[in-house]
Amino acid sequence: MAVASDPSEELVALAAEAYVYGYPLVFDLSTAEDFMQVGVGPLAPTPFNHFAHPDRSADPGTPCASGVDDTLCSVAQLDLSGGPIRLHVPDTGGAYYVLQFVDTWTNNFAYVGRRATGTDEGDWLVVPPGWAGSEPAGVRGVIDAPTSVVSVVGRIACDGPDDVERVRALQKQLTLTHLEPGTHRTGLPAPDNDVPEQLRFFEQLRVWMADFPPAAADCAYQDRFQPLGLLEEGPSPYVSADPVLVRALVEGMERGRARVAEAGRPGAVDGGRWVMDPHLFDYNLDRFGVGTIDSPEWKMADREASYLVRAVAARVAPWGTHGYEAVFAHTSHDADGRRLNGAHSYVLRFEQPPPVGAFWSLTMYDAPDGRLVENPARRYAIGDRTPGLVRADDGSLTVHLGKDRPADPAAAANWLPAPDGDFRPVLRLYTPGRAVLDGSYRIPAVERG
């Protein structure tokens, strides 16, 4: 197709909309490819329909996204094009775990785990879109996948280095088997390699949008992208695209990228207030399966506005869960609005423990890199499962944050080591209580000692 004049504002704006709309799909499948081809962080490259487990626990230098000291992760990329997959989960004996199911558009559409389905051993059947087979005997239920490729993100609670072997034994019992013989692909649909690099994003979006269609309402929305060539089938329209279209796509992508970055930038907050958003993943409006909550409280009211929220979530908190499964909060400033820095010592006093149904933990990261930091105590997180914590007579708990170990034994027992420079603690609340979700619970500010 050809565009006969310089790109109009309307065409550039449309390309920006397409970038915002399609960024989560391209991010998700690009990440899935990385998992399978080169590995991600501590996870080695792993083919479709196999779980990848870390070859080590989180250690200094591990980034925030995978540097979590309170859980060990397991990730699998499922290909359902050859038919259903049978998932086996172990009995965790009441210990917290969750398997989060994410479609290619980054919608969390199912959960298996303590909150959602309990901790008993059992099998689940994950089926592709439109599957009309018979449920086999012995499975606890069927998980209907909205897309034929699915990411499964698992987290199993770990009580520290001494608990790693127990968790690894459970990870080995997470298995995936084909229900019936079939042809399963070994990779994703490939974009045309002859497309110029500056248009690769739109070529990936075009190919993957066709292979992994979204919900019907979103399909109707994406029809607007016809003038951009995104709905064309067969040979890529971007190999020898009209220069005017190329300029519109490139400018639109830059504008869309800036829009997502701006929307994801934290706004001004009161001194010491923790930043969290229990509703960041409420953009899933159509796809609710096992373990999800299908209610207006957990759905954005404006579908078009949800596309920007979805892009922001993919950029700043990839593969995060709904707020009712877990909420993460962070802060970089003390109660007086001063940046947290290892040159000072601080206290975080919980009058009452954070209201959670599972557990809570506080992890220390450096700033701005967001990595776990080496320390003589080899302690990277502290929480309600940390042995030896000292509570006051009134039941309150004071956590001490700082570079140096406190001299007082009680304070040292509650010490979370900080780096030399700026730092950012992250508070993770697993199965948060109602007070967290409705905002009536306020995390106390960090006070400079």
Side-chain angles (χ1 to χ4, degrees), residues 56-127:
R56 64 184 188 275
S57 58
D59 54 20
T62 305
C64 182
S66 54
V68 181
D69 201 46
D70 50 34
T71 61
L72 290 187
C73 67
S74 299
V75 176
Q77 305 300 330
L78 304 190
D79 167 48
L80 303 170
S81 63
I85 299 291
R86 188 167 185 147
L87 163 70
H88 178 79
V89 297
D91 182 350
T92 67
Y96 177 85
Y97 86 98
V98 62
L99 295 178
Q100 165 195 356
F101 294 77
V102 190
D103 72 10
T104 58
W105 293 88
T106 71
N107 294 301
N108 296 319
F109 67 90
Y111 297 93
V112 168
R114 176 174 159 175
R115 176 198 62 82
T117 58
T119 62
D120 291 343
E121 181 178 10
D123 288 3
W124 297 86
L125 192 67
V126 189
V127 304

Side-chain angles (χ1 to χ4, degrees), residues 101-374:
F101 294 77
V102 190
D103 72 10
T104 58
W105 293 88
T106 71
N107 294 301
N108 296 319
F109 67 90
Y111 297 93
V112 168
R114 176 174 159 175
R115 176 198 62 82
T117 58
T119 62
D120 291 343
E121 181 178 10
D123 288 3
W124 297 86
L125 192 67
V126 189
V127 304
W131 184 72
S134 299
E135 179 180 332
V139 299
R140 293 182 57 184
V142 172
I143 297 172
D144 291 295
T147 52
S148 60
V149 165
V150 168
S151 298
V152 182
V153 184
R155 302 172 182 89
I156 303 178
C158 182
D159 293 342
D162 294 339
D163 194 35
V164 169
E165 290 308 312
R166 176 193 67 86
V167 176
R168 285 180 174 161
L170 292 172
Q171 289 177 319
K172 291 177 182 177
Q173 298 176 62
L174 289 170
T175 60
L176 297 162
T177 55
H178 301 305
L179 180 64
E180 54 200 25
T183 301
H184 293 262
R185 58 186 156 205
T186 58
L188 294 171
D192 192 323
N193 287 329
D194 290 331
V195 170
E197 182 61 31
Q198 63 180 344
L199 299 183
R200 180 169 174 78
F201 171 88
F202 289 102
E203 172 65 1
Q204 290 173 311
L205 180 57
R206 182 189 73 89
V207 172
W208 290 340
M209 211 164 59
D211 255 57
F212 307 104
D218 291 342
C219 283
Y221 175 85
Q222 71 186 29
D223 284 346
R224 68 202 292 121
F225 302 136
Q226 180 70 54
L228 303 175
L230 284 171
L231 303 184
E232 292 195 22
E233 300 178 358
S236 173
Y238 305 127
V239 172
S240 301
D242 185 289
V244 178
L245 175 60
V246 172
R247 289 198 295 273
L249 292 172
V250 171
E251 184 178 339
M253 182 167 63
E254 293 174 354
R255 189 181 298 184
R257 185 183 291 120
R259 185 179 302 165
V260 174
E262 178 62 28
R265 187 172 293 118
V269 297
D270 298 334
R273 188 169 72 83
W274 293 72
V275 177
M276 65 177 180
D277 185 359
H279 296 284
L280 181 60
F281 297 92
D282 291 1
Y283 52 79
N284 176 16
L285 306 179
D286 309 285
R287 299 169 162 183
F288 295 88
V290 172
T292 60
I293 298 177
D294 183 0
S295 74
E297 178 186 3
W298 298 103
K299 296 179 184 179
M300 291 191 64
D302 186 331
R303 181 175 292 272
E304 291 195 19
S306 75
Y307 301 139
L308 180 58
V309 175
R310 184 176 66 182
V312 169
R315 182 176 184 272
V316 305
W319 290 349
T321 66
H322 280 100
Y324 50 76
E325 184 66 45
V327 170
F328 298 169
H330 63 90
T331 187
S332 299
H333 297 82
D334 67 17
D336 295 318
R338 297 168 296 193
R339 185 170 293 278
L340 299 174
N341 187 279
H344 307 280
S345 59
Y346 303 86
V347 295
L348 174 61
R349 188 172 189 272
F350 293 101
E351 299 287 349
Q352 299 291 332
V356 292
F359 67 94
W360 65 268
S361 70
L362 182 72
T363 306
M364 175 67 70
Y365 300 98
D366 68 4
D369 293 337
R371 296 180 180 273
L372 297 179
V373 180
E374 181 67 76

Side-chain angles (χ1 to χ4, degrees), residues 391-444:
R391 290 173 172 79
D393 292 340
D394 62 2
S396 63
L397 174 68
T398 299
V399 178
H400 294 260
L401 301 90
K403 181 180 64 174
D404 300 319
R405 180 190 298 270
D408 177 68
N414 298 355
W415 175 45
L416 181 59
D420 290 331
D422 291 347
F423 64 86
R424 181 176 68 104
V426 175
L427 182 66
R428 292 179 168 89
L429 308 172
Y430 292 89
T431 318
R434 172 51 54 184
V436 173
L437 300 178
D438 66 18
S440 58
Y441 173 74
R442 295 291 296 271
I443 303 170

